[in-house]
Amino acid sequence: MPAARPLPQTGSIFLDARGADRALRVSWHQESDLVVLSLWRDNVCTGSFRLAVDEVPALIDLLRTGLVRSYEQARDRLEAVDPTGSAGAASA
């Protein structure tokens, strides 16, 4: 089996929450105006998706919106448990 190719200069690897044997590789390919998202399991690529560079901002907006909503829900849960906000205050 051939070895996995190294990431391009701009790229990263994100480990899956289910375990380190699964990962997402993100690699920029400026020469092709693409971002490649590939799914890996035990160092074997199991699938890939080529995203056009001009679609990247929409993906970033989606991720940012989800993150903001997640923070808002966490804040709302904390406020429901501690409406005075004293749980996050430092003790004197």
Side-chain angles (χ1 to χ4, degrees):
M1 174 183 317
R5 295 170 55 192
L7 280 171
Q9 185 174 1
T10 306
S12 192
I13 298 174
F14 300 89
L15 298 179
D16 192 298
R18 293 172 287 186
D21 62 328
R22 300 171 188 232
L24 170 70
R25 268 178 54 161
V26 180
S27 54
W28 281 87
H29 296 271
Q30 287 89 355
E31 74 285 353
S32 305
D33 288 333
L34 291 171
V35 174
V36 177
L37 307 168
S38 53
L39 298 173
W40 292 77
R41 184 159 192 169
D42 294 325
N43 294 321
V44 175
C45 180
T46 60
S48 64
F49 183 86
R50 294 175 177 220
L51 183 66
V53 169
D54 61 349
E55 294 183 89
V56 170
L59 177 60
I60 291 170
D61 286 343
L62 172 72
L63 294 171
R64 181 180 298 123
T65 298
L67 186 60
V68 167
R69 287 183 182 162
S70 176
Y71 286 153
E72 288 170 348
Q73 289 174 357
R75 183 194 62 224
D76 293 345
R77 285 191 303 270
L78 182 60
E79 288 174 355
V81 172
D82 183 15
T84 65
S86 62
S91 56

